């Protein structure tokens, strides 16, 4: 799987210590929440964590940062930014 990143997203990944493998796991297992501006948020919720704990070996689970999120453009599929959640996402 190829993850496409903007320059801003690459800089944020480096600054925040998020390797590209985290985005691969997030893309595969994360929950997607759309907003009205054409962006989508990917993050881990409780359901995603349960599925991952059932499917992945323990040594891989230890490497995953479950507070990671990513924002990407829905039309192009390019990650715009990534970071660590410090608050809950609002439900719409």
């Amino acid at each position: 799987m190829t993850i496409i990143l903007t320059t801003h997203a690459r800089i944020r990944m480096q600054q925040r210590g998020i390797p590209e493998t985290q985005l691969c796991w997030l893309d595969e297992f994360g929950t997607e929440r759309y907003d009205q501006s054409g962006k989508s948020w990917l993050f881990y919720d409780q359901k995603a964590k349960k599925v991952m704990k059932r499917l992945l070996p323990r040594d891989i689970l230890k490497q995953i940062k479950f507070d990671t999120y990513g924002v990407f453009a829905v039309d192009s599929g390019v990650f715009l930014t990534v970071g660590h959640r410090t608050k809950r996402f609002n439900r719409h």
Side-chain angles (χ1 to χ4, degrees):
M1 170 185 8
T2 303
I3 302 282
I4 302 169
L5 301 164
T6 61
T7 304
H8 174 78
R10 285 196 188 283
I11 291 169
R12 291 295 182 240
M13 283 176 61
Q14 184 179 15
Q15 289 173 337
R16 295 171 177 161
I18 300 172
E20 196 165 331
T21 55
Q22 294 293 328
L23 293 184
C24 292
W25 292 118
L26 189 61
D27 192 39
E28 185 161 342
F29 293 103
T31 300
E32 193 170 348
R33 178 111 359 117
Y34 296 99
D35 68 8
Q36 290 81 12
S37 65
K39 293 185 299 252
S40 187
W41 297 71
L42 274 176
F43 60 95
Y44 298 112
D45 61 358
Q46 292 298 327
K47 186 177 176 183
K49 290 177 191 177
K50 268 187 198 178
V51 170
M52 292 175 79
K53 287 178 183 178
R54 192 176 69 238
L55 295 176
L56 298 176
R58 214 176 262 196
D59 59 331
I60 290 177
L61 286 172
K62 288 180 182 179
Q63 298 171 12
I64 295 173
K65 298 176 183 177
F66 288 105
D67 65 341
T68 304
Y69 72 88
V71 180
F72 68 96
V74 175
D75 58 349
S76 63
V78 176
F79 274 89
L80 303 172
T81 191
V82 296
H84 299 287
R85 288 192 323 166
T86 56
K87 295 190 262 184
R88 294 178 63 151
F89 287 115
N90 293 331
R91 292 185 186 191
H92 297 323

